[in-house]
Amino acid sequence: TTALHAIMSFSCIAIGELFLAPAVYAYFSSAAPENQKGMTMGIVTLAFSIASLISGGISQMGDANTLFLSAVI
């Protein structure tokens, strides 16, 4: 069941990102000043990258059940 939990966790995260990322990028693209759109999009991408690094560290702290529960919550 450990592999099943890992697959389910990954699937939940991937589906969440599919819905969240386009909305976030669209919002920040429209909210940014015209002369700072590139910088704003770079900062948003950097934030997603840092969150990915942090989540990788958190996932190493527990077992597969903890990983699945943290993805669902």
Side-chain angles (χ1 to χ4, degrees), residues 7-18 55 67 70-72:
I7 291 169
M8 289 175 67
S9 298
F10 183 75
S11 298
C12 289
I13 292 169
I15 290 170
E17 286 182 359
L18 285 172
S55 68
L67 178 63
S70 66
V72 173

Side-chain angles (χ1 to χ4, degrees), residues 51-62:
S52 178
L53 289 173
I54 292 171
S55 68
I58 291 172
S59 71
Q60 298 298 317
M61 292 180 187

Side-chain angles (χ1 to χ4, degrees), residues 19-32 37 40-41 44 48:
F19 287 106
L20 181 68
V24 169
Y25 287 128
Y27 172 75
F28 281 102
S29 176
S30 64
K37 285 192 186 283
T40 302
M41 297 308 291
V44 171
F48 273 110

